[in-house]
Amino acid sequence: RRKQIGDERQKGLNEWRTPIAFYGKVVDEAGTPVQGVRVDFGCNDLSVSGTSNYQTTTDANGLFSITGIKGKLLSVSLSKGDYYGSRRDNHYFTYAGENMNFVPDIRSPVVFHLRRKAKAEPLIHIQAIMGGPKGFRVARDGTPLEISLTTGQTTSAGQGDIRVQCWTDDQGKSPGEHYDWRCRISVPNGGLLQYTNEFPFEAPLDGYQQFDEINMPASIEKGWQRNAGRSYFVKLGSGNYARMTFKMIAGGDHFCQLESFLNPSGSRNLEADPSRLFPDVESYKAYIATNPQTAK
């Protein structure tokens, strides 16, 4: 038994001594190789800290590699000042200890994607005080809640940019018990267009619908949940464009959450520059007044 324990321990240690080689390639949104990208590696190994760090840069063909190190898990992080990194790429590679371990192939490098930053315009950014989505209480009986995307406040009927209604039958239900609920999100005199793309920086010209609904009947056996969220491009009744993440929590305190980026200039450009985001329309107007060239 002692021999078996010793063998198992040695096997475990050997996993952390696995030879590591990695070959990667970085391309932009057009598939063009990106040169000069900083690549940071983190290798989980038997060093004192448990992780050894390495660094390289991509060549003219967007290629990079690392060889001659040992460990069990390799993380790969990319950065270049005028590009966004993609969260959809895999950045972690296990070399030992799994049923399916990563196998490097110099002839087929792992492809990573960056997106070049464009010229961002000033935007009104609605969010919670501490950052992240802002919450609003919603009635359970379908009573409309209207929200302004220029102030981040609720408004009187007919004055909001976004209208939220929810019908929730959760009264008297036991914890974990399903119940019927549905939520309607609408834009008076405008429309919504759901998106799933990672960089929603330009609102489309058309394809918008006046409302969208999230339906959760109690009869759903798989996939039912008390909260659900979606991401939308928004064409406001004013003709301006925004993008918005929305989530309805239909139970408990019963509220919705949203975070939005609105371009009051009429442009479809929704790319955000952190230095030119404003919490409401008044601060946006004050900035434009002192920086008139940004409105052109």
Side-chain angles (χ1 to χ4, degrees):
R1 177 61 179 164
R2 285 197 298 270
K3 183 179 184 303
Q4 182 182 3
I5 294 174
D7 290 344
E8 290 176 355
R9 180 177 182 276
Q10 190 60 48
K11 178 182 178 182
L13 289 173
N14 287 339
E15 288 181 351
W16 294 91
R17 300 189 182 100
T18 303
I20 286 180
F22 187 86
Y23 307 95
K25 182 176 183 178
V26 183
V27 299
D28 64 15
E29 65 274 17
T32 304
V34 184
Q35 183 178 10
V37 178
R38 171 172 166 163
V39 184
D40 289 287
F41 299 100
C43 180
N44 293 147
D45 55 19
L46 293 176
S47 62
V48 174
S49 65
T51 303
S52 296
N53 299 305
Y54 307 91
Q55 186 184 112
T56 189
T57 56
T58 58
D59 64 16
N61 296 310
L63 298 171
F64 67 93
S65 64
I66 189 170
T67 58
I69 63 174
K70 294 182 179 181
K72 187 174 181 178
L73 173 70
L74 186 73
S75 64
V76 184
S77 177
L78 311 173
S79 60
K80 188 171 183 179
D82 49 350
Y83 287 82
Y84 299 102
S86 175
R87 295 185 301 272
R88 297 186 179 184
D89 292 333
N90 179 26
H91 291 269
Y92 298 92
F93 303 87
T94 303
Y95 286 75
E98 299 292 334
N99 291 331
M100 294 290 291
N101 294 307
F102 175 73
V103 178
D105 184 350
I106 192 173
R107 298 165 299 178
S108 181
V110 177
V111 178
F112 296 87
H113 302 84
L114 297 182
R115 186 188 190 281
R116 185 183 292 276
K117 293 180 180 179
K119 182 180 179 181
E121 298 178 18
L123 303 176
I124 297 175
H125 181 203
I126 302 303
Q127 62 174 343
I129 294 176
M130 300 301 291
K134 184 173 183 177
F136 300 87
R137 289 288 183 92
V138 182
R140 287 173 160 80
D141 61 1
T143 301
L145 171 73
E146 296 202 12
I147 304 168
S148 167
L149 296 188
T150 60
T151 66
Q153 304 299 319
T154 58
T155 71
S156 56
Q159 301 301 309
D161 298 310
I162 300 293
R163 181 179 295 148
V164 181
Q165 296 169 273
C166 197
W167 296 264
T168 302
D169 184 20
D170 65 338
Q171 302 303 299
K173 299 293 183 180
S174 302
E177 185 177 359
H178 291 190
Y179 49 85
D180 295 326
W181 72 269
R182 66 184 176 95
C183 177
R184 172 177 286 202
I185 310 99
S186 57
V187 181
N189 303 311
L192 296 163
L193 178 60
Q194 191 174 348
Y195 72 79
T196 58
N197 48 310
E198 186 177 9
F199 302 107
F201 294 157
E202 184 177 51
L205 278 170
D206 49 33
Y208 297 85
Q209 298 181 331
Q210 188 174 1
F211 68 89
D212 187 35
E213 283 197 351
I214 301 172
N215 290 287
M216 286 288 171
S219 58
I220 295 179
E221 295 183 4
K222 294 183 178 180
W224 185 94
Q225 49 191 343
R226 63 189 292 271
N227 58 75
R230 292 179 181 173
S231 299
Y232 300 103
F233 288 113
V234 185
K235 185 174 183 179
L236 279 62
S238 63
N240 292 328
Y241 294 90
R243 57 182 168 96
M244 174 182 75
T245 56
F246 176 89
K247 186 176 184 179
M248 183 69 212
I249 295 86
D253 291 336
H254 205 264
F255 62 101
C256 69
Q257 295 178 320
L258 69 82
E259 183 174 10
S260 63
F261 296 83
L262 165 67
N263 192 330
S265 72
S267 166
R268 294 186 292 121
N269 183 356
L270 301 176
E271 186 166 351
D273 176 351
S275 68
R276 295 197 292 172
L277 294 177
F278 303 93
D280 53 50
V281 67
E282 295 305 320
S283 56
Y284 169 85
K285 288 180 178 178
Y287 174 82
I288 295 300
T290 56
N291 298 271
Q293 71 280 0
T294 64
K296 296 180 180 180

